[in-house]
Amino acid sequence: MSSHSTRSSSTASLARNRQYTHLQSQLAQLNAHLADTENLLAMTAVQAEYLRGLGGWWGGLFMSASKVLGEEGNNSAATAGAAGGGDRTKAGRE
């Protein structure tokens, strides 16, 4: 009976050691993935700052284009109205 209990305890010990080894490898893999995630988050933070600057630059371009196109639209409407001789809505109804 003592050989049976010794065999079962050694089997349990081997299973426990195998589980600990597997757990250790999983923890090492988790640690590597966390390090990769940390590096990616740091890179994302840098890129977000660049995107913020780029967004400001494009916003300035759009505002400038809107101002230029808005002035051209007002100027062309004013010259067309003066050249046409008056109110367009009356001319369209006649």
Side-chain angles (χ1 to χ4, degrees):
M1 195 151 182
S2 74
S3 70
H4 178 66
S5 65
T6 306
R7 195 176 335 146
S8 64
S9 68
S10 69
T11 305
S13 177
L14 286 174
R16 188 177 312 122
N17 285 339
R18 187 172 49 245
Q19 289 173 345
Y20 282 146
T21 302
H22 182 67
L23 180 61
Q24 183 179 6
S25 70
Q26 286 182 328
L27 287 173
Q29 185 178 14
L30 178 62
N31 193 24
H33 287 163
L34 285 174
D36 288 344
T37 303
E38 184 180 3
N39 289 336
L40 289 172
L41 284 174
M43 192 182 310
T44 301
V46 169
Q47 290 175 350
E49 191 62 33
Y50 289 145
L51 281 175
R52 181 179 177 207
L54 190 61
W57 189 74
W58 276 104
L61 282 177
F62 284 134
M63 287 188 289
S64 299
S66 174
K67 183 176 180 185
V68 168
L69 293 175
E71 289 173 357
E72 287 179 4
N74 289 337
N75 289 341
S76 64
T79 56
D87 190 7
R88 291 181 148 184
T89 57
K90 289 183 183 177
R93 282 189 238 153
E94 293 180 35

